[in-house]
């Protein structure tokens, strides 16, 4: 395989493995990089990722490796690690990634501590000439890895780059729409994870389907308020990466964020509810609520999730507080 034709995927979890399968299915040789040499060798030999994506064969066009030097010279790099690790991974791989094409950020979250969006983290670390894009939208890894129909959004500040990367990565059942609204797309992906936890809490507490539908609508209203204040476009939020992903994540126990919320609603502590699985919204909740508060954006649902996850409020008190809020015009 020539490095110039390869697509890199950094991160061998559920989403990294699924995106590697999608890129290989679109006809590209794929280098799938894992930090752990033993795990990379097992994936390369076994052609399956039993921990994160059991039962899904790895496409023959994928080479799994832990050798960072093999990343250099690629056509594009998909960065698919949890949001809170993006800074460290970019720092560690800065040299090979400097010649590995545009870096496409696939994590959905806001960095704790700095309250930074992923594109801002990347801009701090990568050389200025490295283009950065964001991929986000309604997409369960198991669906994409199995080749079930899926549509997501790819955003880059340069509309030409967004269009060409969408064409590069689209395949028979994986469709990428494109936009230049990077901030709007990352707000949708990060925000929906927090709000989906709230919907899981409602389900776990047995508050009913009507309450869940109302919560999705009110959660979306606050996500729109946040996007308006932070430079995302309303039409982006109404698309795949905003409303599309909120609806998917807030209505399916297949979502780790929803399932985490369900366990909280059923009475588990935040530590027990996590159960060793990644629920990105738990890490992003405080950053989202903090950013909103600093700009005077009302986000009662995100604030409630942040308080429950931090253990400073209980589910029943939070629900009572939300129901006691003053009545207001629906679009105020
Ligand atoms: N799973 C999905 O369906 C899905 C879909 C869309 C987006 N995402 C997003 O993709 C991101 C990754 O999610 P995932 O589902 O792959 O998570 P995961 O828990 O399945 O896998 C995470 C992977 O990252 C690796 N990793 C963790 N820290 C690392 C580090 N410091 N250096 C290198 N590798 C490291 C882990 O070893 C693991 O292989 C999240 O932000 C998630 O919101 C996931
Ligand atoms: O399992 P979740 O909650 O991380 O959701 C996965 C994807 O983000 C859904 O689009």
């Amino acid at each position: 395989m020539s490095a110039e034709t390869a697509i890199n995927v950094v991160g061998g979890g559920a989403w990294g493995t699924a995106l590697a399968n999608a890129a290989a299915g679109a006809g590209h040789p794929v280098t799938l990089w894992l930090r752990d040499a033993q795990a990379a060798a097992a994936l390369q030999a076994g052609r399956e990722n039993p921990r994160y994506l059991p039962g899904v064969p790895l496409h023959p066009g994928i080479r799994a490796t832990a050798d960072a030097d093999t990343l250099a010279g690629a056509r594009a790099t998909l960065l698919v690690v949890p949001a809170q690790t993006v800074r460290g991974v970019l720092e560690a791989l800065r040299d090979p990634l400097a010649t590995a094409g545009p870096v496409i950020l696939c994590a959905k979250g806001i960095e704790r501590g700095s309250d930074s969006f992923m594109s801002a983290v990347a801009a701090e670390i990568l050389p200025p000439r490295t283009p950065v894009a964001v991929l986000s939208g309604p997409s369960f890894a198991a669906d994409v890895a199995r080749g079930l129909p899926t549509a997501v959004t790819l955003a880059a500040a340069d509309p030409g780059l967004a269009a060409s990367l969408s064409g590069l990565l689209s395949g028979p059942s994986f469709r990428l729409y494109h936009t230049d609204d990077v901030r709007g797309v990352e707000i949708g992906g990060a925000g929906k994870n927090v709000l989906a936890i709230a919907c899981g809490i409602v389900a776990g507490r047995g508050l009913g389907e009507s309450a869940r539908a109302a919560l999705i609508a009110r959660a979306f209203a606050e996500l729109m308020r946040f996007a308006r204040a932070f430079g995302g476009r309303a039409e982006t939020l109404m698309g795949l990466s905003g409303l599309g992903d909120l609806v998917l994540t807030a209505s399916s126990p297949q979502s780790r964020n929803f399932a985490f919320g369900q366990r909280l609603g059923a009475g588990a502590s935040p530590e027990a509810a996590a159960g060793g699985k990644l629920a990105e919204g738990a890490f992003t909740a405080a950053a989202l609520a903090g950013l909103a508060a600093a700009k005077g954006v009302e986000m009662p649902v995100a604030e409630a999730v942040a308080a429950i996850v931090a253990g400073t409020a209980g589910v029943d008190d939070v629900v009572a507080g939300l129901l006691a809020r003053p009545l207001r015009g629906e679009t105020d």
Side-chain angles (χ1 to χ4, degrees):
M1 150 173 91
S2 132
E4 304 82 63
T5 62
I7 304 284
N8 292 329
V9 175
V10 169
W15 192 220
T17 307
L19 285 174
N21 261 9
H28 307 291
V30 173
T31 303
L32 176 56
W33 181 87
L34 288 78
R35 64 181 158 167
D36 179 342
Q38 234 180 329
L43 194 52
Q44 178 64 11
R47 311 307 297 167
E48 189 194 335
N49 191 339
R51 174 163 177 203
Y52 291 107
L53 219 45
V56 180
L58 205 62
H59 191 288
I62 299 172
R63 189 165 65 93
T65 177
D67 178 359
D69 291 340
T70 59
L71 297 171
R75 208 161 163 190
T77 297
L78 292 146
L79 190 76
V80 204
V81 292
Q84 306 307 325
T85 70
V86 162
R87 181 181 294 274
V89 173
L90 284 176
E91 280 168 351
L93 299 179
R94 193 176 186 278
D95 288 348
L97 293 191
T99 59
V103 172
I104 304 166
L105 304 165
C106 302
K108 295 174 177 174
I110 300 172
E111 188 181 57
R112 286 192 301 184
S114 69
D115 289 355
S116 296
F117 288 97
M118 294 296 106
S119 61
V121 172
E124 278 181 45
I125 298 159
L126 293 171
R129 65 178 181 283
T130 303
V132 169
V134 172
L135 186 157
S136 195
S139 47
F140 285 136
D143 295 345
V144 171
R146 287 192 166 82
L148 298 178
T150 319
V152 298
T153 305
L154 188 135
D158 170 358
L161 176 68
S164 72
L165 288 176
S166 298
L168 186 73
L169 295 171
S170 284
S173 57
F174 189 51
R175 289 174 64 80
L176 281 84
Y177 290 76
H178 54 89
T179 176
D180 62 357
D181 185 8
V182 173
R183 186 48 46 87
V185 168
E186 46 190 5
I187 287 173
K192 68 87 191 177
N193 278 338
V194 177
L195 302 167
I197 293 175
C199 293
I201 292 173
V202 164
R205 207 57 152 198
L207 299 180
E209 294 296 316
S210 305
R212 178 144 60 102
L215 185 58
I216 291 176
R218 293 313 301 163
F220 184 61
E222 67 178 61
L223 198 56
M224 291 284 273
R225 283 198 291 274
F226 184 93
R228 267 195 296 274
F230 284 86
R233 296 204 293 266
E235 62 264 33
T236 306
L237 272 289
M238 285 190 280
L240 291 164
S241 58
L243 184 59
D245 209 356
L246 177 63
V247 167
L248 176 74
T249 316
S251 55
S252 168
Q254 203 180 324
S255 152
R256 294 162 300 185
N257 287 286
F258 182 90
F260 171 71
Q262 255 185 326
R263 292 189 284 269
L264 287 174
S269 66
E271 296 69 34
K277 291 223 166 158
L278 178 69
E280 286 281 36
F283 302 106
T284 287
L288 184 70
L291 283 169
K295 275 209 182 180
V297 179
E298 266 193 279
M299 292 196 83
V301 178
E303 269 172 33
V305 172
I308 292 171
V309 167
T312 57
V315 169
D316 291 331
D317 290 343
V318 159
V319 171
L322 287 172
L323 289 174
R325 279 170 58 80
L327 295 173
R328 56 189 288 171
E330 188 175 12
T331 55
D332 291 351

